[in-house]
Amino acid sequence: MRMEEYLGTVTEQIRCERARGFVREEMEAHIRDQAETYEAEGLFPEEALEKAVREMGDPVEAGVALDGVHRPRMDWHSLWIVGTLSLLSVAAQLSLSQEYLLGNSLALRHILFTVVGFALMLLIYRLDYSVLAKYGRRAAGVVLFLIALALPMGIRMNGSAIGIGLGVFYIPLSALTVLYVPLFGAVLYSYRGQGYRCLWKILLWLTVPVLLMLRLSYFSRAALFGLMLAAVLAFAIGKGWYVVAKKKVLAILSGIAVVLPAAGLLFLGASGRLTSYQTARLAAFVSGSSETAYTEQVARQFLTESSLIGMQSGGELSDTLPGANSEYILVSIAWTCGLVIAAAVVLFLLSLIGRVFRTALRQRNQLGMILGFSCGVVFFSQTLLTLAMTLGLSPVMSTVLPFFSQGGSNVICSYILLGLTLSVYRYKDILPGQRAEAGQNRLVSPVGLATEKAK
């Protein structure tokens, strides 16, 4: 059988059209590599090619085996975890609500956004994330432009911009910063293979949005935002995407990540740009005894008085603890449902975050790898900071617990990021990875190749 006929028969057995092209290319490369080996042993080119094709095995059997591997997949484990988290988040918000049946109930709004977010997650899961290879920089530029619009058009609260008002539309800055992180990963992907010159461009994509957030008097969010972007950049450099001295560049990047937040805080304090409540929060955290540490003290009291298991009324907590359904949602869960349930929520979140990182690190496609890692960085940072605030290890900051904290944009963004991760998982055996280096290829039957990939 001729090679073209063989490859045509194999690919006809693969139902996913998206996978046929790169499977054909990969198999043809294997056949031609082996044919070159046979030519070196003394066979004529046509004989060598025919022998290489013949040793690949039956084309129908090979195609069926590859069809079982190269097909869309759902990460049912992650879906089960997020489904459980969704139900727990609704229960947590209901336990804090005193208006179960009223239309303006915060709990009912949370239920609505949870349902919408879950549906949006499933929609994004169905989409091909590889479109960001072409449009990632444009999308990041649009988000960056919207963040810049907050300077003249920002809606402010307590001196800090919280969002952008565009007529009847309101775009929260928190949503823009969260969505920018995976788009920054797509930007990094677009520069791979380049040298030191590309680092200056990348640093602009990193520093400009962080400086804008500082200019908007959002120090805590700007610091967290910068650290998340720096982590994604460090990952890309560590993977060898750029022609640079990795250790030296990573050392410099680590120094910048440590020095810049401290320098930014000193500058804002010296220039009087920190608002009074931000200054009070920092002073309260450092002293631990100021009257302005009210929120931390109340949170600590409710946490220490929580039982291991049991239901307590959330009415008192909602009236007493600021941020009971947002920043301090873990305290609320511990108080209303028990410390065991609060610990279970944290463990479920950490399990989901582990799945996200695992999906990313097992990707052969580099774009899928960086997108999944970026989403994992966001989830991990938000969860870690919320946990630190709950335990009194950090001052009060503007943060959210993924899927749990009240606020439509917060909930929607969590599901969008998970939907993107599920899309990466869905296409892990469909979108191509990197070709092996010359000299490393070997003749493998499609059935054996399918078995290796399934592992």
Side-chain angles (χ1 to χ4, degrees), residues 307-325:
S307 59
L308 286 178
I309 299 177
M311 297 294 294
Q312 301 189 67
S313 172
E316 178 187 355
L317 185 143
S318 299
D319 295 336
T320 309
L321 178 63
N325 57 6

Side-chain angles (χ1 to χ4, degrees), residues 74-319:
M74 167 58 85
D75 185 358
W76 294 106
H77 192 169
S78 294
L79 193 64
W80 176 80
I81 294 175
V82 75
T84 303
L85 288 172
S86 300
L87 293 175
L88 288 173
S89 73
V90 169
Q93 293 293 339
L94 282 174
S95 67
L96 291 171
S97 175
Q98 302 179 53
E99 303 176 15
Y100 293 97
L101 301 178
L102 297 182
N104 63 347
S105 169
L106 293 177
L108 292 180
R109 290 183 71 250
H110 185 82
I111 294 173
L112 173 62
F113 285 120
T114 297
V115 172
V116 172
F118 202 94
L120 190 58
M121 176 191 72
L122 294 178
L123 175 63
I124 294 174
Y125 149 76
R126 300 281 301 181
L127 301 179
D128 184 354
Y129 71 85
S130 65
V131 69
L132 291 177
K134 183 177 181 180
Y135 298 106
R137 266 194 276 186
R138 298 180 192 178
V142 171
V143 174
L144 194 55
F145 173 73
L146 291 174
I147 294 176
L149 275 183
L151 288 173
M153 304 174 61
I155 298 174
R156 293 181 175 269
M157 179 182 295
N158 295 327
S160 298
I162 60 172
I164 308 164
L166 298 175
V168 297
F169 296 101
Y170 168 72
I171 305 175
L173 278 175
S174 59
L176 292 176
T177 55
V178 164
L179 296 178
Y180 186 84
V181 177
L183 294 178
F184 179 68
V187 170
L188 296 179
Y189 174 83
S190 69
Y191 287 114
R192 72 197 189 287
Q194 300 183 31
Y196 284 98
R197 287 187 177 182
C198 78
L199 290 182
W200 297 106
K201 300 176 184 178
I202 290 172
L203 287 176
L204 284 176
W205 285 102
L206 189 155
T207 56
V208 169
V210 175
L211 291 175
L212 284 173
M213 294 299 292
L214 282 174
R215 182 67 179 82
L216 294 166
S217 301
Y218 234 144
F219 173 76
S220 61
R221 192 176 295 278
L224 182 62
F225 187 31
L227 289 174
M228 288 192 292
L229 296 180
V232 177
L233 174 57
F235 178 78
I237 294 173
K239 285 295 181 180
W241 282 14
Y242 313 109
V243 187
V244 298
K246 288 195 299 185
K247 292 184 179 179
K248 183 184 297 184
V249 173
L250 286 174
I252 294 173
L253 185 63
S254 300
I256 292 174
V258 172
V259 172
L260 272 188
L265 180 60
L266 290 174
F267 170 76
L268 291 174
S271 61
R273 291 183 179 273
L274 284 177
T275 62
S276 58
Y277 84 92
Q278 289 173 327
T279 304
R281 281 180 175 178
L282 288 172
F285 178 72
V286 172
S287 65
S289 59
S290 171
E291 292 181 1
T292 53
Y294 168 78
T295 303
E296 294 92 328
Q297 293 171 1
V298 172
R300 189 180 303 115
Q301 179 182 351
F302 276 108
L303 191 63
T304 55
E305 294 179 0
S306 299
S307 59
L308 286 178
I309 299 177
M311 297 294 294
Q312 301 189 67
S313 172
E316 178 187 355
L317 185 143
S318 299
D319 295 336

Side-chain angles (χ1 to χ4, degrees), residues 313-342:
S313 172
E316 178 187 355
L317 185 143
S318 299
D319 295 336
T320 309
L321 178 63
N325 57 6
S326 52
E327 290 92 344
Y328 283 106
I329 186 66
L330 277 178
V331 175
S332 302
I333 295 173
W335 173 257
T336 57
C337 303
L339 291 169
V340 172
I341 300 300

